[in-house]
Amino acid sequence: MRLRGGFGRAGTLAGVLAFALALAACSGQVGPPKEYELGAAAAATPGGVEDFAANAGDVVYFAGDSTTLSPTAQATLRKQVRWLNRHPGYRVTIEGHADEWGTRQHNLTLGAQRATAVETFLKQNGLQVDRVHTVSYGKERLVADCTALSCRAQNRRAQTVLSASTAAR
């Protein structure tokens, strides 16, 4: 059914324009509310594991086949020392990790050397010696399992894991 006098075409155009404007208004991408974001400091319990990860950082990364701490890693470790000295009820285990390239033994050794590099830095910057323990997982606990360079880079890390100290239990 067609209306005469041009109202049909004008009405169709107005309808299409209204639909397009409504669709444009609805298509704006809105992120999740702050309280639901992963790692948000606001959601972390002060003095807890999430607070440590959010405010100090619990992972440092290494270049391939390296145990040298980058300036970024050193900055993260300084924040860890400050946080841990404010919260003396925690001990830490430094987990050394490697990517999947190389032999199992090579990667276990590399993971141990990375954990030791972090341990040494933490102690030299004021963390009590008896609060730090190290372990190497080599390539046994990959966080990213693929052959892309970006995946391997995520696996070359040392992770600081908190546990309640014996005195605080």
Side-chain angles (χ1 to χ4, degrees):
M1 176 174 187
R2 232 174 118 171
L3 296 174
R4 298 201 185 258
F7 287 115
R9 206 173 269 157
T12 302
L13 272 168
V16 168
L17 181 60
F19 180 73
L21 288 172
L23 188 59
C26 293
S27 69
Q29 293 183 358
V30 178
K34 286 285 185 197
E35 64 268 19
Y36 296 117
E37 288 182 8
L38 292 177
T45 305
V49 174
E50 296 86 9
D51 180 48
F52 176 73
N55 294 308
D58 61 349
V59 178
V60 293
Y61 296 96
F62 293 86
D65 216 31
S66 173
T67 60
T68 303
L69 293 168
S70 68
T72 302
Q74 291 178 21
T76 298
L77 295 174
R78 281 187 199 94
K79 285 192 254 179
Q80 286 184 9
V81 170
R82 284 192 299 271
W83 192 96
L84 288 164
N85 284 336
R86 282 193 315 266
H87 302 91
Y90 289 103
R91 293 176 52 85
V92 295
T93 299
I94 309 300
E95 297 178 346
H97 299 272
D99 60 29
E100 68 276 14
W101 286 36
T103 65
R104 181 176 188 276
Q105 186 58 47
H106 172 74
N107 285 322
L108 281 171
T109 301
L110 186 58
Q113 291 170 343
R114 287 174 175 166
T116 300
V118 169
E119 175 188 34
T120 301
F121 188 90
L122 292 175
K123 290 176 180 177
Q124 287 175 346
N125 283 273
L127 192 62
Q128 288 178 309
V129 174
D130 62 342
R131 293 179 65 191
V132 185
H133 172 70
T134 62
V135 63
S136 175
Y137 291 111
K139 61 182 179 179
E140 305 304 317
R141 293 188 177 185
L142 302 176
V143 293
D145 193 9
C146 72
T147 57
L149 292 175
S150 61
C151 289
R152 291 200 323 253
Q154 293 176 53
N155 293 319
R156 297 188 300 257
R157 69 194 191 283
Q159 185 153 6
T160 305
V161 179
L162 299 182
S163 59
S165 71
T166 326
R169 287 183 189 167

